[in-house]
């Protein structure tokens, strides 16, 4: 029998992500959320806990995936109801308080495992992602290797550390990073700075930085408030950051070049391998430039662009490419033009474009009847015809060998082409190919 998992808070975005993940891994998944969104569970093809207490009592694994400020309360209400031999996990971005709560409220017969996925619900898979786990000695001997294996088998990298050590690292990894980006966003507002207009003058580094600022401040502000406020290690990070901001600002005000240079050199020395950091950031910058260059080279040519968020595919001729926009004329829609933000689209490969046409354009058929050479195999000739990139499908619709004075087999091939491929031209190409193979037309 498959292990059963209950995700409390499973109707949230992170809960839904892991519901799909564990379902693919063969677990029997049940969700519960305070919103009572049964429709979400139905959409995912998993169960919804109509009676939460019964679901807790029956589940092999219970995962708490709720906002940080109510995590301890949910743990206190959940842990005592769990069956012996089961596992209680949390997915909170701080670890000391949740782990202490699990140790306090979970019976000795219930194992506990603090867990922090270092990613958001937008990622397609676990491959290459980091998951931090904080097992308590003697409280996760059975389940830890099982959960560890499930994550590692899907390409995740597991880091095992102490809860307090986790919170110290995360106070910088998340606390400082978010604090800095949110502060930059707030500074734009204080300065009444036109961010959109500034993109006209952006460097590649500014382009990437501004997108990360927008990424952070455009998400759930309550989540980010709790990450700042619930981790007790964050405030001393704030203090250090503010002190450094003031120190560097004072150095600039005094026009003290030597102190500025020394400060920057000292920071680089402490940072360590700045060369590798330069190479990795170059790779990120070049990937953005490469995407732009690929589209820019298609001016006057046909391409397909799929919108990353709506999923809509736009096919047309590239009219012009600007630093942030590409303009397509769409011959399939009476040459209607559309302007798309380059960062919002992905360029379709040649095969993807062909498949889009097969699925969305009209199919036109042409029949070609020929006598094939003696001993030739009709199916082999059909396969050769199908190698034409503009031929969507080829079939044999008729064969006949009863002509008087003619020993050769007559074969009628039906080719299917797309409406934008000039069917008459493709038909002529196929006829010439057949003649080259020794076939001759049947009048």
């Amino acid at each position: 029998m498959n292990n059963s998992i209950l995700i409390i808070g499973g109707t949230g975005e992170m809960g839904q992500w892991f519901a799909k993940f564990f379902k693919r891994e063969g677990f029997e998944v049940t969700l519960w959320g305070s919103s009572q969104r049964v429709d979400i569970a139905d959409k995912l093809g998993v169960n919804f806990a109509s009676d939460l207490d019964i679901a807790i009592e029956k589940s092999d694994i219970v995962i708490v995936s709720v906002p940080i400020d109510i995590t301890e309360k949910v743990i206190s209400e959940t842990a005592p109801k769990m069956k012996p031999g089961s596992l209680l996990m949390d997915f909170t971005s701080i670890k000391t308080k949740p782990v202490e709560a699990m140790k306090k409220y979970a019976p000795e017969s219930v194992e506990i495992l603090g867990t922090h996925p270092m990613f958001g619900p937008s990622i397609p898979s676990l491959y290459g992602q980091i998951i931090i786990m904080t097992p308590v000695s003697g409280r996760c001997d059975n389940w830890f290797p099982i959960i560890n294996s499930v994550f590692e088998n899907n390409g995740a990298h597991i880091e095992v550390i102490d809860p307090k050590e986790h919170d110290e690292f995360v106070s910088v990894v998340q606390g400082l990073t978010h604090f800095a980006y949110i502060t930059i966003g707030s500074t734009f507002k204080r300065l009444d700075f036109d961010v959109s207009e500034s993109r006209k003058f952006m460097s590649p580094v500014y382009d990437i930085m501004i997108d990360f600022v927008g990424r952070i401040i455009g998400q759930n502000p309550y989540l980010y408030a709790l990450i700042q406020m619930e981790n007790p290690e964050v405030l001393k990070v704030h203090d250090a950051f503010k002190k450094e901001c003031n120190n560097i600002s004072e150095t600039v005000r005094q026009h003290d070049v030597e102190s500025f240079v020394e400060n920057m050199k000292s920071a680089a020395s402490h940072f360590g391998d700045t060369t590798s950091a330069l190479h990795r950031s170059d790779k990120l910058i070049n990937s953005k430039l490469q995407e732009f260059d690929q589209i820019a080279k298609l001016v006057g040519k046909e391409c397909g662009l799929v919108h990353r968020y709506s999923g809509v595919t736009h096919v047309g001729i590239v009219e012009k490419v600007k630093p942030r926009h590409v303009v397509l004329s769409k011959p399939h829609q009476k040459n209607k033009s559309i302007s798309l933000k380059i960062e919002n689209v992905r360029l379709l490969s040649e095969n993807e474009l062909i498949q889009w046409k097969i699925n969305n354009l009209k199919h036109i058929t042409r029949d070609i009847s020929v006598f094939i050479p003696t001993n030739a195999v009709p199916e082999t000739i059909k396969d050769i015809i199908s190698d034409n990139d503009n031929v969507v499908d080829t079939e044999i619709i008729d064969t006949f060998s009863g002509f008087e004075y003619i020993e050769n087999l007559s074969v009628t091939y039906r080719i299917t082409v797309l409406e934008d491929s000039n069917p008459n031209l493709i038909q002529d190409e196929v006829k010439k190919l057949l003649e080259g193979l020794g076939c001759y037309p049947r009048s």
Side-chain angles (χ1 to χ4, degrees):
M1 181 178 178
N2 294 335
N3 288 316
S4 57
I5 288 184
L6 168 65
I7 305 178
I8 298 177
T11 54
E13 290 185 355
M14 205 64 175
Q16 291 182 52
W17 194 97
F18 275 99
K20 290 183 283 189
F21 170 77
F22 283 116
K23 181 186 176 186
R24 287 196 302 269
E25 290 301 301
F27 289 82
E28 182 184 338
V29 180
T30 300
L31 305 184
W32 185 85
S34 59
S35 63
Q36 297 295 308
R37 291 288 302 276
V38 180
D39 60 302
I40 291 177
D42 291 341
K43 181 181 177 181
L44 297 176
V46 300
N47 304 312
F48 187 87
S50 55
D51 188 315
L52 180 57
D53 287 348
I54 291 176
I56 292 171
E57 293 168 6
K58 290 184 175 181
S59 297
D60 298 311
I61 302 171
V62 176
I63 298 173
V64 175
S65 180
V66 298
I68 301 171
D69 58 335
I70 63 170
T71 296
E72 293 172 78
K73 179 176 183 293
V74 172
I75 288 172
S76 71
E77 295 171 346
T78 302
K81 302 170 185 175
M82 295 178 63
K83 67 182 181 181
S86 59
L87 170 68
L88 176 61
M89 301 172 64
D90 82 294
F91 279 172
T92 318
S93 58
I94 61 172
K95 289 276 75 71
T96 302
K97 291 180 180 179
V99 170
E100 288 301 317
M102 288 191 285
K103 287 166 63 177
K104 179 179 179 180
Y105 295 107
E108 287 294 324
S109 60
V110 173
E111 295 194 349
I112 59 177
L113 179 59
T115 309
H116 182 191
M118 296 295 291
F119 53 85
S122 62
I123 66 158
S125 75
L126 279 186
Y127 189 81
Q129 301 300 322
I130 294 173
I131 297 179
I132 300 175
M133 294 198 284
T134 58
V136 176
S137 178
R139 293 297 305 271
C140 201
D141 295 339
N142 177 55
W143 280 105
F144 177 78
I146 296 172
I147 299 300
N148 186 79
S149 177
V150 170
F151 290 154
E152 282 193 336
N153 289 344
N154 282 274
H157 176 73
I158 308 299
E159 286 290 345
V160 178
I161 59 175
D162 175 80
K164 189 174 188 306
E165 185 183 10
H166 166 278
D167 289 356
E168 289 173 351
F169 272 114
V170 170
S171 68
V172 175
V173 173
Q174 288 187 322
L176 176 60
T177 303
H178 298 167
F179 184 72
Y181 283 142
I182 293 167
T183 302
I184 292 172
S186 298
T187 303
F188 288 153
K189 180 179 181 300
R190 181 176 291 274
L191 294 172
D192 195 23
F193 182 71
D194 192 329
V195 177
S196 296
E197 186 72 11
S198 74
R199 289 186 182 273
K200 294 180 179 178
F201 318 104
M202 64 187 176
S203 66
V205 172
Y206 178 79
D207 183 24
I208 291 170
M209 184 274 290
I210 210 77
D211 283 343
F212 277 109
V213 171
R215 178 186 179 88
I216 297 299
I217 63 176
Q219 298 190 57
N220 183 347
Y222 292 99
L223 170 63
Y224 285 84
L226 294 175
I227 289 174
Q228 294 292 318
M229 298 175 189
E230 294 295 325
N231 186 343
E233 305 295 328
V234 164
L235 290 181
K236 62 184 179 184
V237 174
H238 285 187
D239 290 341
F241 182 71
K242 290 188 294 182
K243 185 174 182 179
E244 284 305 309
C245 287
N246 288 331
N247 287 344
I248 294 173
S249 179
E250 188 61 30
T251 300
V252 172
R253 292 172 190 276
Q254 294 177 6
H255 211 75
D256 187 347
V257 175
E258 291 305 316
S259 292
F260 188 97
V261 170
E262 181 56 36
N263 186 297
M264 197 165 168
K265 285 182 177 180
S266 177
S269 176
H270 178 80
F271 187 96
D273 192 359
T274 56
T275 301
S276 292
L278 178 64
H279 292 160
R280 286 191 294 270
S281 58
D282 277 346
K283 187 175 181 180
L284 179 61
I285 291 169
N286 290 335
S287 68
K288 288 180 69 72
L289 296 176
Q290 184 179 22
E291 185 176 46
F292 178 85
D293 288 343
Q294 282 182 314
I295 297 174
K297 290 177 182 177
L298 292 172
V299 172
K301 299 178 182 178
E302 183 183 57
C303 80
L305 299 171
V306 60
H307 198 280
R308 297 181 190 275
Y309 307 111
S310 70
V312 175
T313 297
H314 302 274
V315 174
I317 307 298
V318 180
E319 287 186 359
K320 63 179 72 172
V321 180
K322 301 177 181 178
R324 296 191 64 215
H325 291 83
V326 54
V327 179
L328 286 184
S329 65
K330 305 176 78 170
H332 307 299
Q333 297 181 12
K334 298 181 180 179
N335 287 319
K336 173 185 174 183
S337 290
I338 184 170
S339 178
L340 300 165
K341 286 186 176 180
I342 292 177
E343 65 260 30
N344 290 344
V345 296
R346 178 179 67 82
L347 182 65
L348 294 183
S349 68
E350 186 176 342
N351 288 338
E352 287 176 319
L353 180 57
I354 292 171
Q355 190 60 50
W356 181 90
K357 290 184 176 183
I358 291 173
N359 295 337
N360 293 277
L361 299 184
K362 290 181 181 178
H363 294 189
I364 297 172
T365 60
R366 292 286 190 270
D367 294 342
I368 305 172
S369 298
V370 292
F371 292 106
I372 67 173
T374 305
N375 298 324
V377 180
E379 286 75 14
T380 301
I381 295 174
K382 178 179 80 96
D383 291 341
I384 294 172
I385 295 172
S386 298
D387 284 340
N388 187 311
D389 291 337
N390 293 303
V391 175
V392 175
D393 185 44
T394 308
E395 57 182 321
I396 298 171
I397 63 170
D398 178 62
T399 61
F400 187 70
S401 59
F403 288 99
E404 188 176 3
Y405 307 120
I406 301 178
E407 297 181 358
N408 300 67
L409 180 67
S410 169
V411 182
T412 300
Y413 294 98
R414 174 165 290 167
I415 62 171
T416 301
V417 298
L418 299 172
E419 62 178 327
D420 70 337
S421 299
N422 193 334
N424 293 331
L425 178 62
I426 304 305
Q427 182 179 11
D428 289 342
E429 287 181 2
V430 172
K431 284 181 178 180
K432 289 180 181 178
L433 173 64
L434 290 169
E435 290 174 6
L437 295 172
C439 305
Y440 58 95
R442 193 184 85 192
S443 57

